[in-house]
Amino acid sequence: MFGLDTSGPCSAGEQICQGAMDITGNETVAHTADVLIGKPLALLGLLLLGLVIRWVLHKLVDRVVARAEGGVLPANRFTRHGKAAPPASARDMVNATRRVQRAKTMGDLLKSIITGILVAIFGTMMLSELGVNIAPIIASAGIIGLALGFGAQSLVKDFLSGIFMILEDQYGVGDVVDVGEAIGTIEAVSLRVTRLRDLNGTVWYVPNGEILRVGNMSQNWSRAVVDVGVGYGEDLARVKRVLQEVAHDLWEDEDFKGVVIEEPEVTGVEALAPESITLRVLLKTAPMEQWGVARELRQRIKARFDHEGIEIPLPQRVIWHREEKAAQAEADAAPQPRSGDSATA
């Protein structure tokens, strides 16, 4: 009779129950051992496995955060006249601190997401181990996920774009950026939207998912581009030498030490316009300083050109008066007196 019983009191995979049954031959003891020993051991194993996976993933997040704290662009060690570069400015320190804080914030967010997902997965597995039917739970989660996927596509896109923008340090508060739809200074960055203010004072709210490209004008270093027009009658070699001297004087000025970070360069003729010849001067500057340096250089160039007698030509135009043409046409149409008539008179 016992040889015909192939199912046994213990289910497949219940080693504790099967071991107790083999030792005692009592079904009650076998089931009790499985409840008191087998289930807790299974739950403990799932818990330990979840903790190990969580620890590994958190370590990976820490490595990503450590790389994000250093920034995407390397820190340049500029030199001036062959000497060591000046110490980091207050703005550089603020940017570094901001980058570290932002990276840590993103790290905490990613760790929270990882922990939530693992709790959901291993919690469901533990419920299944306790004998709870998890099929309705999985079906409900799938339906909810599908609904959220269709109903909140733009929101999910904004969040994902915001996460990568912050992790990659594409821009931060205080940077001047061009995001396509607007150009201005960043005032706030969140996971969903970026707020910036343009030169006119208009505040723009741009969803992160709508930003296809970012032009950062204040990251790491900047460049001032100054175009100068002179007359066609000027000696270009002399003009270029004067521009080089003015730019070098600005480079040597103590007031601009640490602002202009490389020797300025006069590239030469950039354009042949109808009224003038355009020459270009390039200056590498500290972040956010390119506009002030360009204004100062233009002022110095104007003063030096006046002293040297170099012409900055004005636009030349030909003005045509309709009344003069009409009067000339009437004069041409009037009959001319003959020589005989004038003699008779």
Side-chain angles (χ1 to χ4, degrees):
M1 295 293 294
F2 293 102
L4 298 177
D5 187 6
T6 58
S7 60
C10 300
S11 302
E14 295 181 348
Q15 289 83 2
I16 301 296
C17 176
Q18 189 63 43
M21 186 64 186
D22 293 339
I23 295 173
T24 63
N26 191 314
E27 295 185 9
T28 303
V29 174
H31 285 296
T32 303
D34 183 65
V35 172
L36 297 180
I37 301 176
K39 297 295 184 183
L41 284 179
L43 296 177
L44 181 61
L46 290 174
L47 179 61
L48 291 177
L49 179 60
L51 292 177
V52 170
I53 296 176
R54 177 180 177 272
W55 180 82
V56 172
L57 294 178
H58 281 200
K59 284 296 182 181
L60 293 177
V61 171
D62 290 337
R63 293 186 62 179
V64 174
V65 169
R67 293 185 60 183
E69 289 177 357
V72 176
L73 297 179
N76 289 347
R77 296 184 177 273
F78 302 109
T79 58
R80 185 178 178 88
H81 309 299
K83 300 180 181 179
S89 63
R91 175 178 172 81
D92 295 334
M93 297 177 64
V94 170
N95 289 340
T97 303
R98 180 201 71 203
R99 186 168 57 247
V100 171
Q101 292 175 346
R102 183 171 61 248
K104 290 183 177 179
T105 301
M106 287 307 305
D108 294 339
L109 175 63
L110 291 177
K111 288 180 180 179
S112 299
I113 295 175
I114 290 173
T115 301
I117 294 175
L118 291 178
V119 167
I121 294 175
F122 283 92
T124 305
M125 295 173 66
M126 289 180 178
L127 290 177
S128 176
E129 189 66 29
L130 293 174
V132 178
N133 185 11
I134 62 173
I137 299 176
I138 297 176
S140 300
I143 294 174
I144 294 174
L146 187 62
L148 290 177
F150 280 105
Q153 294 184 35
S154 61
L155 184 62
V156 174
K157 181 180 178 182
D158 293 341
F159 271 91
L160 291 178
S161 299
I163 289 174
F164 283 106
M165 286 179 182
I166 294 176
L167 280 179
E168 295 171 359
D169 192 25
Q170 296 182 12
Y171 53 78
V173 176
D175 289 343
V176 178
V177 300
D178 178 356
V179 295
E181 298 296 332
I183 303 174
T185 304
I186 298 293
E187 292 190 341
V189 180
S190 65
L191 291 178
R192 196 188 68 84
V193 69
T194 295
R195 188 181 78 219
L196 67 156
R197 187 181 299 271
D198 64 13
L199 187 61
N200 298 323
T202 304
V203 178
W204 295 82
Y205 295 87
V206 184
N208 294 330
E210 301 298 325
I211 300 177
L212 301 180
R213 49 91 171 158
V214 178
N216 196 324
M217 307 177 192
S218 53
Q219 194 174 54
N220 206 237
W221 58 270
S222 301
R223 173 170 284 147
V225 181
V226 178
D227 290 334
V228 182
V230 298
Y232 273 88
E234 299 295 337
D235 183 358
L236 293 183
R238 174 171 172 260
V239 173
K240 187 175 180 180
R241 183 178 66 253
V242 170
L243 290 176
Q244 189 66 54
E245 292 175 357
V246 174
H248 184 76
D249 291 340
L250 182 64
W251 157 256
E252 294 284 353
D253 195 333
E254 290 296 326
D255 294 337
F256 290 89
K257 185 176 182 180
V259 177
V260 181
I261 56 181
E262 281 188 6
E263 177 76 28
E265 177 186 3
V266 180
T267 60
V269 177
E270 290 292 329
L272 299 175
E275 300 90 7
S276 64
I277 300 176
T278 302
L279 291 90
R280 175 166 294 177
V281 184
L282 301 178
L283 301 94
K284 198 170 185 178
T285 71
M288 302 286 292
E289 299 290 344
Q290 66 268 35
W291 300 290
V293 170
R295 287 190 290 267
E296 177 66 21
L297 181 62
R298 292 189 187 99
Q299 180 177 340
R300 295 190 181 200
I301 290 174
K302 173 62 169 61
R304 182 66 181 274
F305 276 15
D306 291 343
H307 177 73
E308 298 286 343
I310 298 176
E311 177 190 4
I312 301 178
L314 298 174
Q316 301 177 9
R317 297 180 181 179
V318 177
I319 301 177
W320 174 64
H321 294 282
R322 187 184 301 271
E323 293 80 5
E324 292 181 0
K325 185 176 182 179
Q328 182 65 34
E330 291 178 359
D332 294 340
Q336 299 294 331
R338 291 176 297 180
S339 59
D341 293 341
S342 61
T344 304

